Amino acid sequence: MVFHSLTHSVTFGITYLLTASLAQNISTPLVNFQVNQPLAVPKSVPKCEVELVHHLFANSYYQPAITVYTPPTSCGPIGSWSAISLNWTATSNGTQYDRLAGVTLSNVEIWRTSTSEPTPGGIVWTVLKDVTKYIPLFAEPGTLIVDLNNVIDPKSGLTGEYDVRLTATFHQSDWLHPKAPRADLIFPLSTLSGDQSNVFAVPPAGNTTVVLPRNAVTAIVEIQATGNGQEEFWYFNVPDEYLPYIPPETTYGKGSFREVRVLVDGLVAGVAFPYPVLFTGAFVPTVWRPIVAYGAYDAPTYNVDLTPFIPLLTDGSPHTVTLDAISDEPDHALNPNWYLSGNIKVSLDESNKPTAGNITRYEVPSFRAQHTITPIGQDSYNMTVDVSQSVFIEATIVTGSGARKHITWKQNFHFSNVQSYTNNASASFVTQRINGNSISTHNLLPVLLDNVDFPLSIDFEYVADETGSGWVATFDQQYNRNYLPSPWEVSTTIRSSQHANGTYIRYPNNGFNRTANGTTFNEFHYVDGKLNSYSRLVDVTNNTVTKDRQGGTLTWDFWPFVGRPWSPLADLLDGLIGFEAVRLPNRNENKH
């Protein structure tokens, strides 16, 4: 069954789905969620909701949902809103891989998300996203594209269709909740397609020709970056020189380090060391029910201050802004592929006179990388990759109004990855850490701050006996970030910690052909520059929430996902019986 009749609110929508399922005498769908902060948007102002898209994604490769967006006129003066939020509600049942999806407005990708893998009894999830920073796009008519490449092939067991409903809520402004700060203009960094996904599939690098207004004074790039295909588990890839030490089908090459870069006319303007998102089909799909890994429903983005290049970009000529991703292999080559897109948010000077100035210091050395391999037993090895990178750019700009600004843009990052392969790669373990900081000051005032710490460890082992075979996996991952993305946005501090483990065993010689389970412990803390706060501690065993504690100033407005209204036995059977669309870092499991 695919649920088509979704309603305008999260609560009523889920209630409808549960009621409709029970009325048809089928299993109640599992409610999935990502532990995240509630929306910190004004609640006491008038608001209106607009349905943007309602679409069924079946065989939908290269067939996105496309609609013409028109700014609403019933939510106050166009562009005067205090906030805008999006609601993504999706349902599916059957068997299906996790699928990457994106929302693009006027050639700017404003949301990158992914799907849950459905259960035979159905699955439903709702995600809310604050998109206030994109008000300049929502204030103008444009084309809205929702891209979700899916395949239906009953012969292969792929039966899950995704019914997606996307709505936008526009919050009016008043004296207590004024019009939200925003950039004056937003320029896309994308393929600029009018009827397909706008992401670059890298390699090769993605280039966009940009002509900024002559009076631009601030420019901030936002990057969307996701590893896909042979790059989905890039942190489990090994340097090419070490591939002969492990069995051929174990994993891919090109190493475990990835750097996403922004270049202006071939000069590196800034970098990002991306957070490794674990999607819902990763290793043991039942681990990610009902809590998905952080970032699976709302992928993190990364910002680079392009303001030091303003004197160049405002000369009235076209310039090339490039998004690419590289490895630390000698030729920087990647496997296919990374999906990249971005945008440039620009503020303008009050005058119409051109901005002047120049870059006074440019220090962007090649990153420092080191590889080592150490035998730890018979057919067992430790492989280590260690990389450091720094960026230091200074510039002086003079606005058309005569204001003089000194711009300093600094980045320092460190990456370490240790992989252990034992007993001819029957067991593998990765310990990775990404940490570093970015800071941009304009006349000593911070306009962009980003301090990150992303630890990850995964223990993966194949197991077998006379009745069946499979694997066990344990995950520990953290997302720790202090983030001021731009001068138009509020600063946030997020601490997310997730410990999970699960088992996947196949029994080919009897009727009960698979068992799988999963346990997850998720702790989350949030605080922002407006003194909003939120915390949540959730424990899950085999689809059942066993603990859920929430606190902070935002709790009064949060829909509490506190488990499912049926027996533990039904939960257990729904989690263990059926077919899962598993993704693994090795080469021979990813066939779809």
Side-chain angles (χ1 to χ4, degrees):
M1 172 185 178
V2 176
F3 306 99
H4 295 276
S5 301
L6 302 182
T7 61
H8 290 286
S9 69
V10 178
T11 305
F12 187 78
I14 292 175
T15 301
Y16 173 87
L17 292 166
L18 298 179
T19 304
S21 299
L22 291 173
Q24 297 182 46
N25 196 29
I26 65 171
S27 299
T28 308
L30 173 68
V31 178
N32 244 43
F33 60 99
Q34 177 181 311
V35 177
N36 209 346
Q37 73 274 10
L39 293 176
V41 297
K43 301 301 188 296
S44 59
V45 299
K47 55 183 179 290
C48 64
E49 186 176 275
V50 177
E51 182 179 271
L52 301 176
V53 168
H54 187 186
H55 190 78
L56 182 66
F57 293 90
N59 280 309
S60 57
Y61 258 81
Y62 309 114
Q63 299 181 47
I66 304 173
T67 187
V68 175
Y69 166 78
T70 302
T73 57
S74 57
C75 302
I78 292 174
S80 68
W81 309 297
S82 60
I84 305 176
S85 60
L86 296 182
N87 177 315
W88 173 291
T89 295
T91 64
S92 183
N93 76 308
T95 300
Q96 191 53 261
Y97 284 102
D98 49 352
R99 302 295 185 181
L100 201 63
V103 180
T104 300
L105 178 59
S106 300
N107 300 118
V108 174
E109 188 177 13
I110 62 175
W111 192 352
R112 183 168 296 181
T113 184
S114 68
T115 67
S116 283
E117 290 200 352
T119 67
I123 199 165
V124 56
W125 70 99
T126 292
V127 193
L128 306 178
K129 182 176 177 66
D130 187 338
V131 291
T132 305
K133 60 186 174 182
Y134 301 116
I135 282 181
L137 300 177
F138 281 95
E140 301 289 339
T143 299
L144 188 138
I145 300 173
V146 178
D147 182 70
L148 195 165
N149 288 336
N150 193 32
V151 172
I152 299 299
D153 183 6
K155 293 181 179 179
S156 300
L158 299 178
T159 59
E161 302 172 326
Y162 289 106
D163 188 309
V164 175
R165 184 171 184 266
L166 179 69
T167 61
T169 300
F170 297 81
H171 302 255
Q172 294 188 30
S173 57
D174 59 21
W175 67 272
L176 186 61
H177 305 95
K179 183 172 69 173
R182 83 287 308 275
D184 293 309
L185 299 168
I186 301 179
F187 293 85
L189 298 176
S190 70
T191 64
L192 305 181
S193 173
D195 59 3
Q196 293 294 325
S197 167
N198 273 236
V199 302
F200 296 113
V202 176
N207 296 318
T208 307
T209 300
V210 174
V211 180
L212 293 191
R214 300 294 304 274
N215 62 334
V217 292
T218 304
I220 304 291
V221 171
E222 180 185 26
I223 309 165
Q224 304 267 8
T226 304
N228 174 68
Q230 297 177 21
E231 291 287 300
E232 179 178 347
F233 302 98
W234 82 90
Y235 42 86
F236 255 119
N237 293 359
V238 303
D240 287 351
E241 60 187 310
Y242 298 157
L243 280 173
Y245 292 88
I246 55 178
E249 298 299 317
T250 302
T251 188
Y252 298 99
K254 308 307 176 190
S256 57
F257 170 74
R258 298 294 179 267
E259 178 181 271
V260 177
R261 307 189 300 177
V262 180
L263 301 92
V264 177
D265 293 339
L267 287 176
V268 175
V271 302
F273 284 19
Y275 174 75
V277 175
L278 296 170
F279 296 103
T280 62
F283 300 91
V284 182
T286 47
V287 165
W288 315 116
R289 297 173 184 155
I291 305 177
V292 302
Y294 189 85
Y297 285 162
D298 189 3
T301 61
Y302 313 91
N303 281 17
V304 166
D305 192 358
L306 219 60
T307 307
F309 292 83
I310 282 285
L312 172 65
L313 294 170
T314 57
D315 65 358
S317 301
H319 294 274
T320 301
V321 179
T322 301
L323 300 178
D324 76 353
I326 60 175
S327 72
D328 66 335
E329 292 291 302
D331 59 357
H332 297 328
L334 299 177
N335 305 298
N337 49 25
W338 276 78
Y339 287 148
L340 305 180
S341 76
N343 63 79
I344 310 175
K345 298 180 182 70
V346 175
S347 65
L348 305 176
D349 186 60
E350 295 177 354
S351 76
N352 290 320
K353 299 178 182 178
T355 302
N358 60 289
I359 293 177
T360 57
R361 183 175 180 180
Y362 181 86
E363 297 178 5
V364 187
S366 299
F367 49 67
R368 300 177 300 279
Q370 182 177 6
H371 297 177
T372 59
I373 185 168
T374 306
I376 55 174
Q378 181 68 32
D379 295 322
S380 301
Y381 301 92
N382 280 347
M383 304 177 186
T384 301
V385 174
D386 192 272
V387 182
S388 296
Q389 175 65 297
S390 63
V391 171
F392 192 172
I393 306 175
E394 287 187 315
T396 298
I397 68 172
V398 180
T399 69
S401 299
R404 191 177 187 88
K405 290 186 179 182
H406 178 69
I407 313 298
T408 301
W409 168 235
K410 298 179 182 179
Q411 294 186 287
N412 287 282
F413 289 104
H414 180 251
F415 170 93
S416 64
N417 178 287
V418 179
Q419 296 182 48
S420 300
Y421 292 92
T422 61
N423 298 324
N424 207 30
S426 63
S428 55
F429 183 82
V430 61
T431 300
Q432 178 175 288
R433 189 158 203 161
I434 296 169
N435 53 46
N437 60 81
S438 303
I439 178 170
S440 183
T441 59
H442 295 188
N443 286 345
L444 301 180
L445 296 177
V447 299
L448 192 162
L449 297 169
D450 195 5
N451 298 314
V452 303
D453 184 20
F454 301 150
L456 168 69
S457 66
I458 300 175
D459 190 348
F460 180 82
E461 183 175 2
Y462 287 98
V463 294
D465 59 22
E466 64 277 4
T467 61
S469 63
W471 51 86
V472 295
T474 301
F475 311 87
D476 279 289
Q477 187 173 32
Q478 295 181 37
Y479 179 93
N480 303 310
R481 195 175 194 184
N482 303 323
Y483 197 23
L484 173 63
S486 74
W488 312 286
E489 298 171 70
V490 66
S491 62
T492 61
T493 296
I494 291 176
R495 301 283 183 267
S496 176
S497 176
Q498 202 161 7
H499 172 82
N501 59 79
T503 302
Y504 189 103
I505 305 294
R506 294 165 173 163
Y507 299 96
N509 297 322
N510 58 43
F512 185 69
N513 63 7
R514 180 192 61 83
T515 64
N517 57 38
T519 301
T520 302
F521 307 96
N522 202 156
E523 186 173 358
F524 180 87
H525 300 277
Y526 168 91
V527 65
D528 65 32
K530 294 183 178 180
L531 302 182
N532 294 306
S533 63
Y534 179 72
S535 63
R536 190 173 185 184
L537 177 65
V538 189
D539 294 348
V540 169
T541 300
N542 294 334
N543 291 356
T544 301
V545 174
T546 58
K547 178 190 294 184
D548 192 352
R549 298 175 182 172
Q550 303 175 58
T553 63
L554 295 174
T555 54
W556 67 273
D557 194 42
F558 188 67
W559 170 253
F561 295 96
V562 293
R564 304 193 301 172
W566 54 82
S567 70
L569 176 60
D571 289 344
L572 182 63
L573 291 177
D574 191 41
L576 298 185
I577 300 176
F579 175 78
E580 306 295 340
V582 178
R583 292 193 193 274
L584 296 177
N586 60 18
R587 302 184 184 186
N588 58 2
E589 292 287 347
N590 299 312
K591 298 177 180 179
H592 57 91

